[in-house]
Every structure is written in structure tokens, then in C-alpha cells.
Amino acid sequence: MQPTHRQSQPTARQSMTLQHGIRRRIGVLRDHMRVSARTWRGAAFALIAAIGLVWLWAMLPQLVPSTLFASLLIAGGDVLAAVVLAGVLLVLLKSIAALPRLFLWIVIGGVVLLVGLGSGPSQRGWLVIVAVLVIGVSIIGGGLWSLAGGGWSRERWPRRLLALAAPVLSLAVLLGGAVWLLVPGAPPAAIPNAALLGEPVAPLNAADPAQPGSYRVQALSYGSGKDLHRLEYGANTTLTTASVDASAIVKGWAGWTGAARTRFWGFDATALPINGRVWYPEGEGRFPLVLIVHGNSRAEDFSDAGFAYLGELLASRGFIVASIDENFLNTNLIDSAGGLTGVNAARGWLLLEHLRVWHDWNKQPDNPFHSRIDTDRIALIGHSRGGEAVAVAAAFNRLDRFPDDPAIELSYGYNIRSIIAIAPSDAQYLPLGEKLALQDINYLVLQGSHDADVFSFMGLNQYHRVALSADQEWIKAAVYIYRANHGHFNTTWDAYDLGEGLSAHLIDTAALLPAEEQRRAAQVFVSAFLETTLHGTAAYRDFFRDLRVGRAWLPDTVYIGQYADATTRYLSTYEEDVSVTSTTLDGGTQSATGLSRWQEEHRPLRGGPGDDRAVRLGWQRTTAAEAPRYTITLPPGGILATAGSALRFDLADMGAATVPVASASANSPALTNLTIEVRDADGTSVRLPLSHLAPLQPPIEGRFLKSAFFHDAPLSEPILQTFTLPLADFALAGPDFDPATLAAIAFVFDDTPAGTIMLDNVGIAVP
């Protein structure tokens, strides 16, 4: 009989003993890992120091230029608000009372204090910084404090290991984050410049508009003579001007904030000064007048000096230029406790008050500008909020009464022929709740892709709201400049468009155009536009129709231009109704074949839907013999085109192109190409590829922060580019085609297998 082998199994008593041993060891380990009160105190003290230093870093640029009273008031108010709010939140968060109350109080108060500074370019990014800072510093302070004063010898190895490893790792994370924040960033990846991949174009036969002209430049200033901070508007002013009462428009200059503001400036809303820096040509003649107005920055930073690079250039080319001081309407440190209202209307109104002074000087025999100003040729230039202010001024100039208060008389009626908006805000002032529309005025707007302040091309909305009457010389243009930011258009501003201290360092300054190149681009566009619209230099008009003819003048980057003038007879602007088949021109029709998407919509800007409507067209090629197409059919006799007429339309690539066109380089990503087909009344059709001019520019990412994750808004927006195809080019390709009987225009998607575009403003430019 074989012996029986029994499998050894633990008894119940042994199992209980084993479990008890495991629990005991876990308990011992937990005791070793438990954070002591001493550790929590260290975390709290370290956090106080770190939060204080970061807060000072962020606030110092605002505190230093201010009065001691204002600095102490704001600093004390911020700290008091943080402490009180932290106490309130602490009571509400009793569910986490397991943590020491002192530590919680400091954490909550510190977070409240620091989050309040996060008005920079990325709320999301700033919250990440605050979270990492609070957690990391708490771990470092707690670990080091627990080991100080003999704590090392009293602790066992698990606590020692944790107390050393956690602070070291946290310090590494904080130092790595600090380095990441303090380095400039990384330059953007190279992108194709589609404008250079089409048929070559001959450079414009005109002088570089950014080169100084033939006039020697003189300079002076005018002002109240009483300025407390700037001699050029105080004792050293050349021409003394009377103050103006803006109290009916500007509200909020009252109470303790108004008293602090008055103490700093030396005046209130009843006596706003008329201050300006002037550059003017030396010599005889009547010269066009150009006023430039800055945007919103800290009031104490005095932004009006930042446009000397434009003033000196334009004066050398025969313009009288004044940079207007409106710093007293800008954001002040005390505005955190309640700011001014009505300033966006006042900025425009004040420009007209300056024009009133200039018109008076032109009539005064003893004035240096007597009979030297051509008051029939006036232009206004504005940057940022000033870019909106020039549109407000142009609107007020044609009104008899102030829209929001008819008791205020306007009735200016000056001959403002041109306005230029540089990275403008839009619709911050809404008279009677309506957006400003302008009629018959030359309009230019510039925008940078890496603008971290006005991060969306808001100026396109005002561009759309400028109407041009037929048979006039009016033009409008919009230019998008890759890698340009907000601040470099003004030399007193800098690369950090928004934010202070750490939050400002979220901006990728390495991705920006060098400041001098950005300002050179501004000089080219501003000078060429004023030469066109005030001096009547016709050659520069062709530059705005096709920016490629002036590439030699411009810094090397990507430019996208939109253009319209009064010669264009529009077939489709997509503004007339909600029918996708009707055209702007009565009696015309729109149809689509084989498209995967056909939708009229508001242009989707980064800041939200734009005012302009366009049509989105998407396609996905199949094996079908006929390529997808979108056709606009004219009514009989709809537009009397000639051989000198040109087909004009605006296009933007919405992405998803799948293969490069033949004209793209081997290293270029996919560029969208398509075919333009025209048909006359006899049925003769002629085709030209879009790349006859240039393929479409791929969507441009304006990633102005160091990480795409930190962007609160989309990285790109559709920037329409104007294409002008002479009908003579079609006639050359098909001699039987008769431009005078143009009957239909089709966009045929036969080159790029799949993609999406946005189309707008299809028309015929008739000379």
C-alpha cells in the first residue's frame, strides 16, 4: 500500500498570524510615511516665500511706475482680498479638514492671489503654472523642514528616502519649468510660401515705399504746456493748445479712483489735453495730414512715442504726421478697482478734436503750419484700440450728433480720405448697440499671425463693413503677416504682447519676426497705401492687388493679401439671403456637382464667427469621370466685361489637401490647387489652373505660446486671399472665348483629390 502524501496548507491560526503581520508592517510603513506637523509648517513657509516672490515679479512692472500711495493701495488690497477669500473658502471646504488648517489657508490664499494675476495670454497655462508651483514648493518645503533641526537622525530610512527624493524630484520639475519659461522658445517650423510657387511675376516699377523720400524732416511737439511727466508736452512744448471737456463721453473719473488718476495726470475728464508729436517736411508746399494714435497699454508707459519710425519716414515723403497722446485714457493700475467707461468712443472723438486744432492752425498767419496743410487729404492711423478708434473717428466725422447722447454736437465734416488699422480691436464701442459701418473711405488693415493680444484678425470685420461706391477711386486692403506680433508695431512696446512676470514668458518670442523687420513691413504697407490714396501714386495700387510685385521691398515671411476696389462688380458675396443657390447679382444662380460639402456660413475667426459670410466647399474625389465643381451662372447681360476686365475672388484653404501640386517643391506639404473655368454665351469654355497665379496657401498656425496645449482658442483661422485673373489670360488660352459675353464661372476640383476651401467675393473688375 502506497503512503499518502498530504499537501502542506497553513492552518487558520497561521493565516491570521500572517495577515496580522502584513497589516502591522503596512501600519509601520504608513507611520513612517505620515507627514508630520513640522513638515506641513515647512511647506507653508516655503509656499509663502514662493508666492510672494512670484507675485512681486508679476506686479513689479505695474507698481514701480506708480505712485507710492497707489502701489501700497493695490498691493495691500490684493493681499487682503486673498487672505479674506481664502478664509471663506476654508470654511466652505471643511471636507478636506484632514489637512492642517494653516497649510490649507496658505494654499487657498496663495492660489487666489496668483490666479488673479493670470490675465495673460493663456488662462489654462497660468493655472498649470500655479498648480505645479503650489504642489512642488509644498513638497520641497515640507521635506526639507521635516529633516531640519535633527529630524534626519530621528527618522527611519523610508521617511528619509521620501523626504529626500520628493523634494529633489519637485525641485527638478520646478527648475525645468523655470528654464522652459525663461528661454525665448523655439522658432516655428518652416512653412511653404505658396505665393512664390506660381507663375513668376515682374516686380513693380516703383521705388521702395519704405525708403526715405526727398524731404528733410523737422520735428516739434504741441500740448497743454502743463504736463507733469513729459517735457515735450510741458515746458518744452512748441505750440500750446487748449484742453477739451470730455466729461459727457468719459465716465468714471470720480471717487477715490478718479482722485488718484487726477493726482497722477494733473487733470480730469473736463480738461483732457491736446498733445501730439509732429514730424513734417521742410520746404514749401501743401502736404497731406496724417494722425497716428496708439493703443491700450499701461497709462504710465506713454505709448505715443512709439511711432517715430512711421512719422519720420512719411514726413520725408511729403506728409505732415502727428502721433497723438491718449495715454490718459489707457488702463491704469487703479482700474482693477473700477476703470473709465466711454473711452473707446472718446479715443475717436479726441482725434477729431486734434483735427479741429490743425484746421485752425492752417488758417493762422503766425502759425508754422499756416497754409501748409492740404486739408482735402487727411488720413488716420491707429494701432490696437487705436485701430478701432480711427474707424470711430471716421464715423463720427459724418454725424451731426453723438449717437449715445444727442445733446453732444459733432458736425466735423473733415475730408478724411483714408484710415489704416494696425492689429485693431473691433466692436468694443457699439453706438446704439450696432457695429460701425463705413462708406466710401480707403481702408487698410494689418494683422500678425502671432499676435497674443488681438489674437484673432478682428480687423477683417471692419474691412467687411467698409462699402465702396461704384465708379469711384476707393480701395480697401487687408494684409496678414506671418510671425508678426502685436507689440512690435510700436517701439515702446515689446515682444510680450500680454501678461506680466511668469505668465508673459508663456509667449514664444523666438517664433517672432525680428522687431525691425516687422516695422519695416509696416512701413512698406503704410507708406504705399498713403502714396496711393493721398498722393495719387497709381503704381502702388497694383502692389495691393498682388503683393508679389513688391516682394523685394518686404522682409522674408509669408503674406496673405485681400483687396477690393470700386471697379469690381460682384456676382456672389454670400450676404444677400439664406439661399445657397441665389447670387448677389439678381438673376444669377449657384450650383454644385459632386461636392462633399456646400455650406454658406460666417467666416470662423479664432475669436468667434466673423461678420463676413462666405461659402465652404469640400470635395473627395472618386473614380467618377467628372470632377467635383461649383458653378456660378450669370444672368443674361449681367456684367458687361471687356478684354481688359479681370475675374476676382477670395479663397482660403481650410485644410485637408492630400497631394502637392506640380509647382510645389518636393519638401513642401500638400498645397491645394484647382481649376478656374469660364464659359461665354456661345458655350465656349476655357480653363486655367489656380497655380497660374499661385496655389492656395495652407492654413497658418499662429502658435504664439510655447505649447499648443496652452492656447485657449484655435491655432488658425481662414485668411482669404484675393486672386485676380485677367480675362485676357483666358482669351489667350482659348482664342474663341469672348469675355464680353461671359456666362458662367466654375471652380473645378480636378487637381487635389480631397480638400476644403472657403470662397467669397466673386466678381468682375471692370476698368
Side-chain angles (χ1 to χ4, degrees), residues 570-577 579-591 600 630-635 762:
Y570 287 106
L571 308 175
S572 297
T573 63
Y574 306 100
E575 307 292 335
E576 66 282 346
D577 53 37
S579 172
V580 297
T581 60
S582 63
T583 60
T584 305
L585 188 66
D586 288 340
T589 60
Q590 297 167 155
S591 61
E600 293 186 12
Y630 177 75
T631 304
I632 301 174
T633 303
L634 284 68
V762 183

Side-chain angles (χ1 to χ4, degrees), residues 27 63 123 155 207 231 270 278 289 300 344 387 403 415 419 451 460 471 474 482 533 541 565 694 699 704 730 745:
L63 297 175
Q123 293 288 340
E155 302 294 351
L231 289 175
T270 64
V278 184
L289 175 64
E300 303 88 347
N344 291 307
N415 198 350
I419 56 177
D451 191 321
L460 289 175
D471 303 321
W474 309 112
Y482 180 52
T533 60
R541 185 184 296 253
D565 59 32
F704 51 79
F730 289 99
I745 302 161

Side-chain angles (χ1 to χ4, degrees), residues 198-201 542 544-546 548 561 563 565 567-569 571 639 641-651 673-679 686-696 721-734 737 739 742 744-748 759-767:
E199 296 293 331
V201 296
D542 291 333
F544 291 101
R545 291 192 184 108
D546 188 344
R548 296 178 300 169
Y563 172 84
D565 59 32
T567 69
T568 304
R569 307 294 182 263
L571 308 175
I639 293 180
T642 66
S645 300
L647 171 62
R648 182 170 289 159
F649 51 87
D650 300 336
L651 276 182
N673 193 30
L674 54 122
T675 295
I676 314 300
E677 179 183 279
V678 294
R679 187 180 75 244
V686 184
R687 291 185 171 191
L688 286 175
L690 183 67
S691 56
H692 176 73
L693 295 175
L696 270 181
Q721 178 175 349
T722 299
F723 291 85
T724 302
L725 268 169
L727 293 182
D729 288 7
F730 289 99
L732 187 63
F737 169 69
L742 179 67
I745 302 161
F747 298 84
V748 184
L759 172 68
D760 198 9
N761 299 322
V762 183
I764 303 298
V766 181

Side-chain angles (χ1 to χ4, degrees), residues 595 617 619 621 627-630 674 747-752 757:
L595 294 179
L617 305 173
W619 68 97
R621 289 284 303 276
R629 65 168 52 215
Y630 177 75
L674 54 122
F747 298 84
V748 184
F749 306 102
D750 56 352
D751 190 303
T752 305
I757 63 167

Side-chain angles (χ1 to χ4, degrees), residues 260-313:
R261 191 184 300 275
T262 300
R263 182 182 303 173
F264 180 83
W265 291 109
F267 55 82
D268 60 16
T270 64
L272 297 187
I274 299 294
N275 298 336
R277 303 169 186 268
V278 184
W279 300 269
Y280 61 98
E282 183 180 282
E284 298 299 321
R286 295 173 65 85
F287 303 104
L289 175 64
V290 181
L291 303 188
I292 308 176
V293 62
H294 57 81
N296 185 52
S297 183
R298 285 190 301 269
E300 303 88 347
D301 284 349
F302 308 138
S303 301
D304 54 296
F307 297 109
Y309 75 100
L310 286 176
E312 292 170 357
L313 170 69

Side-chain angles (χ1 to χ4, degrees), residues 183-202:
V183 298
I191 65 171
N193 191 341
L196 304 181
L197 299 176
E199 296 293 331
V201 296

Side-chain angles (χ1 to χ4, degrees), residues 607-633:
D611 293 345
D612 191 14
R613 281 174 51 187
V615 63
R616 187 191 295 249
L617 305 173
W619 68 97
Q620 181 76 45
R621 289 284 303 276
T622 65
T623 56
E626 186 175 357
R629 65 168 52 215
Y630 177 75
T631 304
I632 301 174
T633 303

